[in-house]
Amino acid sequence: MVKAVVGANWGDEGKGKITDTLADDADVVIRFQGGANAGHTIVNEYGKFALHTMPSGVFHPSIMNIIGNGVAFDIEKFMAELDDVTSKGVPVPQIMVSDRVQVLMPYHVTFDSLEEARLAGKSFGSTKSGIAPFYSDKYAKIGWQINEFYQSDEVLREKIARIAAIKDTMLVHLYDADPIDQEALLAWIKEMRDRVKPYLGNVSLYLDRAIRENKTILLEGQLGTMKDPDHGIYPMVTSSSPLAAYGAIGAGIPPYEIKKIVVVSKAYSSAVGAGEFVSEIFGDEASSLRNHGGDGGEYGATTGRPRRVGWYDCVASKYGCRLQGCTDVAFTVLDDLGYLDQIPVCVAYELDGRQIREFPVTKDLSRCRPVYQYFKGWKCDIRGIKNFEDLPKEARDYVNFIEAELGYPITMVSNGPAREDIIYRQSPLKK
């Protein structure tokens, strides 16, 4: 059975923890898109980890962890992350990297940084990890599939020269920067191919066999619906699709094999990067929520920069669940709201004097204002509670209301950062 774990919102919903938890019953976990520009935070018996490249199943020795062909594969960060995890006592994980994955090259990071600097105040809020230049090259057909690294120096030099002829024009004349050092790039390719070679494999074939053997496969998505380049808040989006449907492409499996789609949504909203965010809050109110939120505060797992925060947005979340094809909602960080006397929930947008409950196109978002409904807070610590019925009535009312607004079943409620801090819930919406 193939299951997907994806985000309903702007990312940072807690997908890493949910994937790590569901991995208890999985045979394979696969990253199918994105790169090292976002991280999944996991807390377990080994400590606290922020994974940027490796799948969240690496803490389970029996699981095959796969980096799929849809990923922007940063070899250096992958190797550093593997060394970091194993140095902290985690058993060496099983890892396979698709022999069709494309490699994030050093000049992709250079271009990302230079372009953000050029745009200045009008930048996209990039993490400067090279993701947009990487995907641009992939679809312009001047990218590097990892298997291309294993060719003669003559062939590699020819491709490097062909790419440099394009890149150097921009580096020198647009950014006033140095051209690509072609010999240094060749040396880098040869070093990286030796380091990563033991992990390469035919992923689509492996997954085909796993499906035929009725193994459980988890597709792990990065970011969330609002960062999708088609259905998100374009252009303030990422460069690959974080939708579950793309999991079939980014992993190399038939789309009809994805049977369960767990969409992760926070009990409040947060976002890293630029873009419209209707329920965003500011000032002391935002600082309080940011510092109570997450595990140690709402700060980016990759960048460390403060996340923008806001109240739960039913309009955006319902849209996000619909686009993902949600079968189950995992509702996270409910415990972080225990300090509040009352909790606002955005139930609609006001747009040009009328209320709307369906998420609009991006050009209209800047004119939208949140319409709130308020709920009484529970004012206590709910960590350690294992049964939904044992939560305070106010907490249950909050979850039940949001589920009814979404129209999708909330079957998991996270009430703490650790793997065991999960409440499994029988939803009245679950068929």
Side-chain angles (χ1 to χ4, degrees):
M1 181 180 185
V2 181
K3 306 175 185 179
V5 180
V6 289
N9 305 108
W10 297 265
D12 305 310
E13 298 98 345
K15 296 182 293 298
K17 172 185 173 173
I18 299 302
T19 304
D20 180 49
T21 301
L22 293 177
D24 283 338
D25 299 315
D27 301 293
V28 180
V29 177
I30 177 168
R31 279 280 307 273
F32 64 84
Q33 50 81 224
N37 56 322
H40 289 169
T41 301
I42 293 174
V43 179
N44 55 32
E45 64 269 28
Y46 300 107
K48 180 179 177 180
F49 300 86
L51 301 180
H52 305 89
T53 57
M54 291 199 297
S56 296
V58 292
F59 303 102
H60 301 257
S62 62
I63 285 176
M64 175 59 78
N65 293 274
I66 294 177
I67 293 176
N69 56 274
V71 170
F73 185 42
D74 188 323
I75 298 175
E76 292 186 86
K77 288 184 179 178
F78 163 75
M79 298 303 302
E81 196 167 286
L82 180 58
D83 290 343
D84 178 63
V85 167
T86 54
S87 72
K88 295 176 180 175
V90 177
V92 177
Q94 298 183 63
I95 295 176
M96 181 185 295
V97 177
S98 171
D99 54 11
R100 293 179 179 270
V101 77
Q102 294 218 6
V103 179
L104 192 139
M105 306 296 285
Y107 52 78
H108 290 142
V109 178
T110 300
F111 272 94
D112 204 357
S113 300
L114 290 171
E115 180 64 4
E116 283 290 292
R118 187 184 73 87
L119 291 171
K122 296 182 179 180
S123 71
F124 295 105
S126 167
T127 61
K128 302 175 185 177
S129 301
I131 305 302
F134 164 89
Y135 281 107
S136 294
D137 282 3
K138 178 175 181 176
Y139 295 112
K141 296 177 283 293
I142 54 172
W144 293 84
Q145 277 197 355
I146 186 65
N147 59 77
E148 294 182 271
F149 278 18
Y150 301 93
Q151 300 180 92
S152 68
D153 287 6
E154 180 183 1
V155 174
L156 293 173
R157 281 195 174 95
E158 186 279 328
K159 181 165 183 174
I160 290 171
R162 178 160 45 87
I163 292 171
I166 301 169
K167 300 296 184 185
D168 288 351
T169 300
M170 296 178 67
L171 286 169
V172 173
H173 298 291
L174 178 61
Y175 297 117
D176 194 26
D178 294 331
I180 291 173
D181 184 333
Q182 297 187 33
E183 285 302 311
L185 184 58
L186 175 63
W188 182 87
I189 288 172
K190 294 166 75 171
E191 178 188 354
M192 292 302 111
R193 71 186 183 186
D194 291 340
R195 295 181 69 184
V196 78
K197 187 175 181 179
Y199 303 102
L200 298 184
N202 187 335
V203 164
S204 64
L205 181 61
Y206 180 91
L207 293 176
D208 179 69
R209 291 171 176 166
I211 291 169
R212 292 173 187 273
E213 294 169 4
N214 294 316
K215 291 186 176 180
T216 299
I217 299 166
L218 291 184
L219 301 174
E220 180 179 15
Q222 180 206 56
L223 297 170
T225 307
M226 298 304 150
K227 293 297 184 178
D228 182 78
D230 288 299
H231 300 285
I233 52 171
Y234 186 87
M236 303 303 183
V237 293
T238 193
S239 301
S240 64
S241 177
L243 300 184
Y246 188 77
I249 300 169
I253 61 173
Y256 55 76
E257 292 293 352
I258 305 174
K259 307 297 186 185
K260 184 174 184 177
I261 299 172
V262 179
V263 181
V264 187
S265 188
K266 265 180 177 166
Y268 54 91
S269 299
S270 71
V272 170
E276 300 299 339
F277 184 1
V278 175
S279 68
E280 184 174 10
I281 56 177
F282 304 92
D284 292 342
E285 186 180 36
S287 295
S288 294
L289 180 57
R290 182 179 298 113
N291 291 324
H292 279 92
D295 181 35
E298 286 290 351
Y299 298 90
T302 299
T303 63
R305 65 190 179 190
R307 293 183 181 129
R308 301 160 65 194
V309 294
W311 302 120
Y312 193 83
D313 186 333
C314 291
V315 180
S317 299
K318 180 172 68 173
Y319 173 79
C321 288
R322 176 167 65 83
L323 266 293
Q324 292 286 10
C326 178
T327 64
D328 297 75
V329 176
F331 197 61
T332 59
V333 296
L334 183 65
D335 54 300
D336 292 338
L337 300 180
Y339 74 99
L340 291 161
D341 293 311
Q342 67 171 7
I343 307 171
V345 175
C346 175
V347 296
Y349 295 165
E350 184 177 297
L351 174 61
D352 300 337
R354 62 188 179 92
Q355 283 193 15
I356 62 171
R357 289 178 177 263
E358 296 298 333
F359 195 74
V361 294
T362 306
K363 74 176 183 64
D364 295 334
L365 278 173
S366 62
R367 305 197 313 281
C368 290
R369 298 293 177 266
V371 177
Y372 289 119
Q373 188 165 330
Y374 294 87
F375 292 81
K376 184 179 179 182
W378 44 94
K379 298 293 290 183
C380 65
D381 184 3
I382 61 172
R383 291 186 183 184
I385 295 174
K386 298 299 182 184
N387 298 307
F388 186 74
E389 294 73 19
D390 294 334
L391 288 172
K393 178 180 182 299
E394 294 82 1
R396 285 184 277 121
D397 289 346
Y398 185 76
V399 174
N400 288 332
F401 175 82
I402 287 174
E403 179 182 60
E405 286 291 300
L406 294 180
Y408 294 94
I410 295 176
T411 57
M412 301 173 70
V413 177
S414 173
N415 61 332
R419 180 188 288 174
E420 61 271 16
D421 293 329
I422 289 281
I423 297 171
Y424 295 94
R425 174 177 178 271
Q426 292 295 323
S427 167
L429 299 182
K430 194 69 173 175
K431 295 179 181 179

